[in-house]
Amino acid sequence: MSAAGRTTAVAARPASPASDRPEPPVRGRASRRRRTAMLLFIVPALVFYAVLVIAPSLQSIQISLTDWDGVNPAYGYVGLGNYEEILGSERFWNAVRNTMLLGLGSALVINAISLAVALLLDRLRHLQGLFRTAVYLPALVSGFIAATIWKYILNFNFGVVNTTLQDLGLESWALDWLGDSDLVVWVLLFIICFTLGGNTTLIYLANLQSVPPEMIEAARIDGASGRQVFRYVTWPMLAGSVTVNLTLALIAGWTIFDQVMVLTAGGPGFVSETMAFFIYKVGFGEYRAGYGSAAAVVLFLVVLVSTVLANRYMRGREIQA
């Protein structure tokens, strides 16, 4: 049959009825039902989160504009008076300085030490699990318990540190570690760095073990030294974990509370107060809920802005790497 004949035959063939057409796949409907089921499971958690977290957070903005004492149901609106008082308070700016020092300092020190420890653990060939457990153990202890232990260790009269120094004949080195105004913030920084590095180390270690060994081997064959291998191969591959660890460390540093509460209670005087402890102290200890809420709003803005800027910078570094 010629081509023209085949074309005529095909054109003359009757169209199939609608009943013979294949039905649309049911995959789309099943997918929609699955998404609906997932949303139904999520809704209760979202409701609880909205009621217990989002609503009180929004209400704190309203309370920050009042003179409420936290107990009396009656209160009056003072506008931005609480914010003006906060910005003019030397005590508040001292808490800001301490928070900056502890937050930024702990983030940098923890990440530097954790990365060094992770590099050492990555090179181990024996007892790696034992050393991983030893590094991670401090992270399992709550900040309150760890601070209580350190409080007894650093006690001026019977603490292990001062007792040991006195037994060694170094009485002049025995200091009031938690009562010296010039020393207490640095002691807090040391304790925070000691207790918050376990998670950071494991994240770095997991990232190190995902670096393709072929790349490292190729760099060594090309004559790269160990420092060059780290600088040009390992370090760029760690960009993602550096972003995560720095962000988490910054957030933890801005909201330090447990260690200050247990070790110094903000003392001596107000020397070692952080922003989180300042909020607690004025809101619940001094019965100035409106003033404390205003400080909490300021802390929220500080955490938000610093986290966004740090993330933007680190994400840019990831792209360049």
Side-chain angles (χ1 to χ4, degrees):
M1 183 182 294
S2 64
R6 285 197 300 268
T7 304
T8 304
V10 171
R13 194 176 297 168
S16 59
S19 59
D20 294 340
R21 295 176 184 174
E23 295 184 0
V26 297
R27 184 177 301 175
R29 288 187 300 227
S31 178
R32 285 195 295 270
R33 284 197 296 267
R34 191 179 301 112
R35 286 197 297 268
T36 302
M38 292 171 60
L39 288 175
L40 290 176
F41 278 108
I42 294 173
V43 164
L46 287 177
V47 171
F48 275 105
Y49 185 79
V51 172
L52 299 178
V53 178
I54 296 179
S57 299
L58 295 176
Q59 190 178 21
S60 67
I61 299 176
Q62 175 199 356
I63 295 175
S64 70
L65 304 175
T66 69
D67 59 358
W68 188 41
D69 60 5
V71 179
N72 194 335
Y75 58 85
Y77 283 91
V78 295
L80 299 178
N82 289 325
Y83 294 94
E84 294 175 358
E85 184 178 353
I86 285 174
L87 296 179
S89 170
E90 178 61 29
R91 178 183 174 187
F92 171 76
W93 288 113
N94 175 72
V96 171
R97 285 192 295 270
N98 290 338
T99 304
M100 293 285 288
L101 174 61
L102 296 177
L104 292 175
S106 62
L108 296 176
V109 173
I110 287 173
N111 276 273
I113 295 176
S114 298
L115 179 57
V117 173
L119 289 169
L120 293 175
L121 290 176
D122 188 52
R123 296 182 180 181
L124 287 178
R125 294 296 175 263
H126 304 287
L127 300 177
Q128 194 177 81
L130 175 64
F131 285 103
R132 285 185 191 178
T133 304
V135 169
Y136 187 68
L137 276 178
L140 297 177
V141 181
S142 70
F144 183 89
I145 295 175
T148 303
I149 295 172
W150 277 106
K151 185 175 183 179
Y152 284 103
I153 292 175
L154 298 175
N155 186 275
F156 178 73
N157 297 313
F158 55 82
V160 174
V161 174
N162 283 351
T163 302
T164 303
L165 291 173
Q166 291 169 2
D167 293 340
L168 294 175
L170 302 172
E171 290 85 358
S172 60
W173 289 22
L175 303 174
D176 189 1
W177 304 99
L178 300 177
D180 189 335
S181 301
D182 298 326
L183 191 63
V184 62
V185 177
W186 299 102
V187 174
L188 287 173
L189 178 61
F190 169 79
I191 294 173
I192 291 166
C193 293
F194 181 84
T195 55
L196 296 181
N199 293 324
T200 309
T201 302
L202 290 188
I203 292 174
Y204 278 132
L205 182 60
N207 200 166
L208 282 170
Q209 295 185 341
S210 67
V211 176
E214 297 82 6
M215 297 178 61
I216 298 176
E217 191 63 29
R220 288 174 178 168
I221 292 174
D222 290 338
S225 63
R227 183 175 300 179
Q228 290 173 328
V229 170
F230 176 78
R231 171 67 181 84
Y232 297 105
V233 179
T234 306
W235 179 245
M237 299 291 289
L238 293 175
S241 58
V242 171
T243 301
V244 171
N245 283 331
L246 275 177
T247 302
L248 294 177
L250 280 174
I251 294 174
W254 292 146
T255 57
I256 290 171
F257 175 82
D258 296 351
Q259 293 84 352
V260 177
M261 177 68 181
V262 175
L263 290 168
T264 65
F270 305 125
V271 171
S272 62
E273 282 187 339
T274 60
M275 291 180 69
F277 186 82
F278 173 81
I279 293 167
Y280 162 78
K281 192 69 174 178
V282 299
F284 297 98
E286 301 175 9
Y287 297 101
R288 302 182 66 190
Y291 186 74
S293 297
V297 173
V298 173
L299 176 59
F300 168 76
L301 294 176
V302 169
V303 173
L304 178 64
V305 172
S306 62
T307 303
V308 169
L309 292 178
N311 256 289
R312 180 173 298 179
Y313 171 76
M314 296 307 299
R315 292 298 180 188
R317 177 190 168 276
E318 288 182 32
I319 295 173
Q320 293 174 3

